[in-house]
Amino acid sequence: MAFTPLHDRVLVERVESDEKTAGGLIIPDSAKEKPAEGLVIAVGAGAKDEDGDRIAMDVKEGDKILFGKWSGTEVTIDGKELLIMKESDILGIIA
């Protein structure tokens, strides 16, 4: 993929959720919410502080993350639907 996010932005691919509930009910596509879990595909170099020094990113490529429901901007790159979001939109890393 020939895309690198700038500054403190992160490129994320959504991770699809299960199509069944814990009780075994199948959830139709029309009733599904977009998942708030994703896989980090690429990260920027980090924002700069007031002195011009880079602030290191807390996430890295390959991290599985949680993010807010309305976070990010949807884009299509190489036929894949991805999200570009600021690192501050990420709620946490799933271990």
Side-chain angles (χ1 to χ4, degrees):
M1 178 175 306
F3 181 83
T4 303
L6 297 176
H7 309 296
D8 64 338
R9 290 185 173 69
V10 179
L11 185 65
V12 175
E13 181 176 12
R14 288 185 192 270
V15 175
E16 294 299 322
S17 60
D18 293 336
E19 295 183 7
K20 288 186 180 183
T21 65
L25 297 174
I26 297 174
I27 303 169
D29 288 339
S30 59
K32 283 186 189 176
E33 289 188 20
K34 290 186 176 178
E37 282 184 30
L39 186 66
V40 176
I41 303 297
V43 296
K48 291 186 178 183
D49 63 14
E50 293 176 4
D51 297 327
D53 298 324
R54 289 266 181 213
I55 300 170
M57 299 285 281
D58 290 327
V59 296
K60 61 186 179 307
E61 291 180 23
D63 282 348
K64 190 171 182 182
I65 59 167
L66 285 177
F67 51 88
K69 188 174 185 176
W70 305 109
S71 299
T73 301
E74 293 181 357
V75 296
T76 302
I77 301 174
D78 294 338
K80 288 185 177 181
E81 290 187 20
L82 304 170
L83 291 169
I84 299 174
M85 65 181 69
K86 287 187 156 258
E87 186 183 31
S88 60
D89 291 338
I90 297 172
L91 304 175
I93 300 171
I94 299 172

